Structures are given as C-alpha cells and as structure tokens.
Amino acid sequence: MTGWPDPRFLDLTGAEAPIVQAPMAGASGVALAVAAMRGGAVGSLPCAMLTPIQVIVQSAEVRAEADGPLNLNFFCHTLAPAPDDSPWRKLLTPFYEEEGVEPGTPPPPLRRPFDAAMAEAVEAVRPEIVSFHFGLPDAGVLARVRASGALVFGNATSPDEMRWLTDAGVDAIVLQGAEAGGHAGWFLDGHRPAPLAELLRVDVPIPKIAAGGVADAAGMAAAFSAGASAVQIGTAYLASPESLASAPHRALIGTATDTVFTNLFSGGIARGFRNRLIDAIGPVNDAAPPFPHASAALAPLRMAAEADGRGDYSPLWAGAGAARVRPEPAEALTRRLAAESLALLETA
C-alpha cells in the first residue's frame, strides 16, 4: 500500500501494512502471528514465558506458514528472588476455602528476563525484529541481538522513556499509551501512565508505533495523523479465532465491561477486564508480591475456576478500545483495518 503519511516503518521492516500484531502472552501464539503476517502485518511471538527451544520451534512454525517480518518480544525486568508471600496468601484464604482448593499448587512459569540463552535463540532464528518490554537488556546480549541482523524496538510509556530509548539507539519505539492492554512496560521513574495522544506529541527522530486503544480504522487514522509511523494492535485481535483467549475472556470483548489497571495477577501493573477478584479486593492491592511473583499463590484458584469455565482469578488483559471489537479472522481484520484507515487518511 502507498499513501501512508510516514512510510518509514514500511521501509524499515518490509511489511505490507504499518501494523504490528501485539505480542500477548497467553493470548497469542503461532496461529495469530501467521494470520497477521498473511494480512500484511508484522507478526509477533510473545517469548517471555517460553524456553529458548520453544522460541526456536515456534519461530520455525511461523516461518513454515507465512512470509514477512517476524517480531520476537522479550521482557527485560530484574527477576528478584521469590518474596515472602504470606500476606498475599492470607488475603486469598477465603477464596481458597470457597473454591475448595489448597495453596501450594505448582505455579505457572514465571516471566523471565532476556538473557544469554535467549540471545542464542535469537541468533538461531534471525528474526527481522526483536522488541523489548521494561527497557533494554544488558549491553552484551543486546549487541548479540543487533549482530544477528534484527531490528531492535523498544517500548516507552513516558516522554523520558522515549528519549532514553532513542539515545540507546533503538530502531523504532512502541508508544504504549495508558489505554493499552496488558503489562505497562515502564522502566524509568515508576508507573506514570500517559495517554497515547500525549506520547505522540513528543518529537523523536525514529519511527513511532502507536499502541493503546487502537481497535478500529478511525483510531488507526487518528494515530497516523498525529505522527505515528505504524500502530501496534492487540485487543482487536483477541476476538479472532486464531487467538488463544479463553472463553470467559472472549465473552467480555465487545461489551461495556470496564478495563482497569491492576497488580493482582502478576504483581506488575497491567490493564485488563474487571473480574471477581478485582471486584472483591480492589484492582491494586499492596499485599500482592512484586512482579512476576503474585501469580504463584493465584495458581490453584485460577486452575479451579478455569476448569469450571470461569475467569474469576485469571488475567483478562484488554485495552480501552475493547468495547468496539467484534470477532473477525485475523488475516481479514488486518487487511480491512489497513484499507479502511488508509481510505480515511486519503479523504481527510
């Protein structure tokens, strides 16, 4: 397609459409990346909860089914030792009793920071793009990523983070507005959510990828008109048949259910749908252990509820545009959003 206000993202990545399918751990995987790439977007694999071998295998599966730029996404947080979570378990005790479960069930895999083993996986895969959440990894492993030939994308939630990433030499920045679903990737000065429109006003010399509440063609066109070179779309893909979203998660998409910032499910601040746990103890609670350790004590509750078809204790990540989303195959969704937003821009 031609006619985009800022073609730098397309020139940089070789994508057909200026869309990045958001990496959403637990809700996206090989099938969604393949469908998005077939629609002309950058396909993404969320890798923070994968092993290096899984990264290599899933990347090969994508490559066997689709051409185009592939993005591997990793986290760069500092993984602290497991804390004393007894206050958290005490708060959850009434829920354990009501659900008839015992604490101590083996927790799900922790989100792990990017390290040398993952750098080796990147070297094996040689993806077109590697993106990072929570800043950037240590210089040594980052140099290995660059040497593999991959473009490096950073994630910013504030103007200061945008400037920091620019100074660090990233090739493009995902501007994660406060409207975005999932974990807020802040890494400087605490979590100070800024609206996407505010971030788009910040001048940096590299392509800006708008994320947060972009769920339809009008939102895309508005982002491009405000200076974006591309958009990153997550919530709009959740309702597609290729997503891994659970039935309770899907049931909330397209409804008026609120999305809020919460720390209950991992210990990190993230935006998602309200559910029973949030309604019972509030979206943010100081008893929750720091990221990513809060999920351990929730594991038996989540397992019991999900087995019963409930999302009462599950992270149901979604952005502020969730009410506007309707089910649609991911390839068709990608092509439609690109065509409709381009048409809006051309008639503006």
Side-chain angles (χ1 to χ4, degrees):
M1 289 182 180
T2 60
W4 298 103
D6 181 357
R8 288 180 298 166
F9 175 85
L10 298 180
D11 294 341
L12 184 68
T13 64
E16 295 178 23
I19 296 173
V20 178
Q21 166 251 317
M24 301 175 286
S28 64
V30 170
L32 185 55
V34 166
M37 291 166 69
R38 287 177 174 173
V42 171
S44 301
L45 289 176
C47 300
M49 297 179 70
L50 302 181
T51 66
I53 291 298
Q54 288 174 322
V55 170
I56 293 171
V57 169
Q58 290 192 16
S59 298
E61 291 173 346
V62 172
R63 290 290 192 216
E65 297 293 332
D67 297 321
L70 172 64
N71 168 41
L72 302 185
N73 177 257
F74 300 93
F75 283 7
C76 298
H77 58 289
T78 299
L79 185 60
D84 174 13
D85 66 351
S86 54
W88 182 224
R89 291 179 182 272
K90 181 178 180 180
L91 182 64
L92 296 176
T93 295
F95 301 99
Y96 293 141
E97 293 173 350
E98 182 177 338
E99 297 290 346
V101 300
E102 294 290 335
T105 298
L110 288 176
R111 296 169 178 84
R112 306 196 67 83
F114 191 78
D115 57 14
M118 281 300 191
E120 186 173 348
V122 168
E123 291 165 339
V125 173
R126 300 182 69 84
E128 285 74 18
I129 303 161
V130 172
S131 61
F132 293 106
H133 216 57
F134 303 118
L136 295 174
D138 292 341
V141 289
L142 182 58
R144 292 176 61 179
V145 171
R146 294 187 190 281
S148 76
L151 298 168
V152 174
F153 289 2
N155 182 91
T157 66
S158 71
D160 285 345
E161 289 176 353
M162 291 175 64
R163 298 183 188 102
W164 188 95
L165 289 167
T166 300
D167 291 343
V170 301
D171 297 289
I173 303 176
V174 176
L175 310 187
Q176 189 187 26
E179 305 90 341
H183 282 91
W186 63 270
F187 59 95
L188 296 178
D189 302 324
H191 180 230
R192 299 178 182 179
L196 176 59
E198 177 182 326
L199 299 179
L200 282 167
R201 287 194 291 268
V202 180
D203 186 29
V204 291
I206 55 178
K208 294 183 285 191
I209 303 166
V214 183
D216 55 21
M220 282 183 62
F224 289 120
S225 296
S229 183
V231 295
Q232 179 167 284
I233 295 177
T235 303
Y237 282 115
L238 288 176
S240 69
E242 297 88 355
S243 93
L244 301 175
S246 66
H249 198 171
R250 290 174 184 272
L252 295 172
I253 300 166
T255 73
T257 304
D258 289 342
T259 62
V260 295
F261 280 120
T262 177
N263 73 333
L264 304 185
F265 302 101
S266 69
I269 294 292
R271 181 180 285 280
F273 288 117
R274 300 185 70 94
N275 63 2
R276 185 182 175 217
L277 185 64
I278 290 175
D279 289 339
I281 65 175
V284 176
N285 196 294
D286 290 341
F291 180 85
H293 296 289
S295 59
L298 280 174
L301 293 169
R302 179 178 175 179
M303 186 180 303
E306 289 181 352
D308 195 33
R310 293 177 286 125
D312 292 347
Y313 312 98
S314 303
L316 306 171
W317 305 142
R324 305 194 301 275
V325 172
R326 299 294 180 269
E328 187 174 0
E331 180 179 350
L333 171 66
T334 305
R335 294 190 184 280
R336 179 180 63 78
L337 289 178
E340 291 181 359
S341 61
L342 185 57
L344 289 171
L345 290 167
E346 290 176 340
T347 58

